[in-house]
Amino acid sequence: MSTTREQPIFSTRAHVFQIDPATKRNWIPASKHALTVSYFYDATRSVYRIISVGGTKAIINSTITPNMTFTKTSQKFGQWADSRANTVYGLGFASEQHLSQFAEKFQEVKEAARVAREKCQDKTELTNPALSIPSHQVLPSPIISSNGPGEDKLFRSQSADVEISTEKERLKKMLSEGSVSEVQWEAEFFSLQDNNSKLVAALHEANASVEQWKKELAAYQEETEALRQRVAELEAQGTPDSSSDNNKEELSQSLEELELLLKAKDEEIQLLKSQRCGRWEAEGEREETLQKLQELEARNAELEQRLQLAEQSLAESLVQRDRAHREVTRVAEIMDVKIFELSELRQGLAKLVESN
């Protein structure tokens, strides 16, 4: 085929079939996969052809004539008979839209072939004087001898007509005998083969993903176990909360008692000071009072120090309690997230196992 003379005008992809010449009923696939099927136009000869090549072999080489008919036998399958190739071609498409586009193009090309043939016939009539005789003029019948060449030509013409009509009848019968269900089954079979290969590839990828998920699941389980142990340790460390609450109450009571005692001692000191300022009858009482005052002041300082230590201990206890509570909360949130991810992984594994 000359690429400069013949150019493609439409292309699509389909599974190509040919009728079984032995049974005239079953379809024989031309290839294992879908092929490119194209319409070509030869501008020099005004000829349209359908061509499909598998590797280095021409699977379809069908010249379109005006008397050809493309028949849709299902939503995704169509066929046409080629008397020159003495076969019937079938095409299985991926969708109904592709089939409709091919059928519309077939009708368009068929009409263009009819117009081209009529133009060719008109040119022949204009160039041949014998064909330009008016329609009312009757041509003389040729002299046919019993043993001359005229009889041989007539016999060949009649035998050619009978052969053509017989071929047409045979092709019509072959098309009528073709089972629509078998055609659909064949097309669906090869579609299923393609889908099966895709599913096998997807299954291999899913198996690889399953192995990866199993590893991640084992890692998540180990991490979850470590988190559980950490939570148990934190809970064990957090158990003294009740005792810390008791200590807090005892410290609060001690603080209140110390404050009351300080208040009472302050009042006593003020009273002693007022008594000391008011009168001193004897030096012994004065020294005794001063000593008692010093003892009270020392005791007051000691009580203030104890109060500060108690407040500091209480603050540290509260800080440790808040820290432990925050740690427990953080670990609990992490565990919730990990448990949710673990449940999703288990559901994904269950779905994969069911699909396999």
Side-chain angles (χ1 to χ4, degrees):
M1 180 182 66
S2 176
T3 56
T4 57
R5 186 182 66 182
E6 204 166 12
Q7 298 294 333
I9 58 176
F10 178 82
S11 295
T12 186
R13 291 187 65 82
H15 291 277
V16 180
F17 302 87
Q18 287 186 4
I19 202 72
D20 188 354
T23 62
K24 306 298 182 182
R25 294 178 58 86
N26 300 326
W27 289 104
I28 299 176
S31 65
K32 295 182 179 179
H33 306 286
L35 299 176
T36 300
V37 182
S38 304
Y39 286 93
F40 281 82
Y41 174 62
D42 188 348
T44 304
R45 298 186 301 160
S46 298
V47 173
Y48 294 88
R49 291 197 298 168
I50 299 176
I51 295 176
S52 178
V53 179
T56 59
K57 179 182 178 183
I59 306 298
I60 300 177
N61 186 3
S62 178
T63 301
I64 300 175
T65 59
N67 58 350
M68 284 185 176
T69 302
F70 184 81
T71 306
K72 297 180 182 179
T73 57
S74 68
Q75 293 182 351
K76 299 180 182 179
F77 195 88
Q79 63 186 37
W80 78 97
D82 189 343
S83 59
R84 295 185 180 181
N86 194 22
T87 187
V88 179
Y89 294 104
L91 297 179
F93 295 89
S95 65
E96 186 177 358
Q97 181 181 1
H98 291 155
L99 173 61
S100 299
Q101 291 176 352
F102 187 89
E104 291 174 359
K105 197 65 181 180
F106 192 97
Q107 188 65 28
E108 178 183 340
V109 170
K110 173 183 171 180
E111 183 65 20
R114 184 188 63 79
V115 173
R117 174 175 288 186
E118 290 178 355
K119 289 182 178 179
C120 182
Q121 289 177 353
D122 292 341
K123 289 180 180 179
T124 304
E125 290 176 357
L126 290 174
T127 56
N128 192 350
L131 297 177
S132 60
I133 300 173
S135 59
H136 63 272
Q137 186 175 358
V138 180
L139 293 175
S141 299
I143 301 173
I144 302 173
S145 62
S146 58
N147 297 320
E151 182 178 0
D152 183 50
K153 292 180 181 179
L154 179 61
F155 176 76
R156 290 179 182 177
S157 177
Q158 290 177 350
S159 61
D161 292 339
V162 171
E163 185 179 353
I164 291 173
S165 61
T166 305
E167 183 68 19
K168 288 182 179 179
E169 293 297 329
R170 187 176 66 83
L171 290 174
K172 288 180 180 179
K173 184 178 180 182
M174 187 167 53
L175 288 174
S176 63
E177 290 177 352
S179 175
V180 176
S181 61
E182 289 179 358
V183 170
Q184 293 176 350
W185 183 87
E186 293 284 349
E188 293 298 330
F189 174 74
F190 282 94
S191 298
L192 288 173
Q193 277 188 337
D194 289 341
N195 294 333
N196 188 29
S197 61
K198 294 178 183 178
L199 287 174
V200 169
L203 182 60
H204 289 308
E205 293 179 0
N207 289 332
S209 301
V210 166
E211 294 298 329
Q212 183 65 26
W213 288 346
K214 285 182 179 179
K215 293 179 182 179
E216 293 180 359
L217 179 61
Y220 282 141
Q221 287 177 346
E222 293 178 359
E223 188 175 357
T224 303
E225 188 64 27
L227 289 173
R228 286 179 179 175
Q229 293 179 359
R230 178 63 178 166
V231 169
E233 292 176 359
L234 290 175
E235 289 178 350
Q237 293 177 1
T239 50
D241 288 344
S242 58
S243 60
S244 63
D245 293 336
N246 295 331
N247 293 332
K248 180 181 176 181
E249 293 177 358
E250 292 177 0
L251 289 173
S252 299
Q253 292 178 359
S254 299
L255 286 174
E256 291 176 357
E257 292 175 358
L258 290 172
E259 287 175 356
L260 292 175
L261 184 60
L262 284 173
K263 186 177 180 180
K265 294 302 180 182
D266 288 336
E267 291 176 356
E268 187 176 357
I269 289 171
Q270 293 297 331
L271 179 60
L272 290 172
K273 285 181 178 180
S274 63
Q275 289 178 359
R276 186 185 63 177
C277 294
R279 53 183 180 175
W280 294 96
E281 295 179 353
E283 188 67 18
E285 291 182 358
R286 180 172 176 269
E287 291 178 355
E288 184 179 0
T289 302
L290 289 174
Q291 186 177 359
K292 191 175 182 179
L293 180 61
Q294 290 176 357
E295 291 176 356
L296 288 173
E297 288 176 351
R299 190 171 180 181
N300 189 16
E302 182 181 359
L303 289 173
E304 288 179 354
Q305 187 177 2
R306 288 178 61 187
L307 178 61
Q308 291 177 357
L309 291 175
E311 290 177 349
Q312 185 177 359
S313 176
L314 178 61
E316 291 176 355
S317 177
L318 290 174
V319 170
Q320 290 179 356
R321 180 185 176 187
D322 292 336
R323 187 182 295 113
H325 184 268
R326 288 195 299 270
E327 185 68 16
V328 170
T329 303
R330 185 181 68 83
V331 173
E333 291 176 351
I334 294 174
M335 278 197 67
D336 291 337
V337 172
K338 297 299 181 181
I339 290 171
F340 178 75
E341 293 177 352
L342 193 60
S343 64
E344 285 187 342
L345 283 173
R346 287 177 177 173
Q347 291 177 1
L349 286 173
K351 290 181 179 178
L352 284 173
V353 170
E354 290 176 359
S355 63
N356 290 337

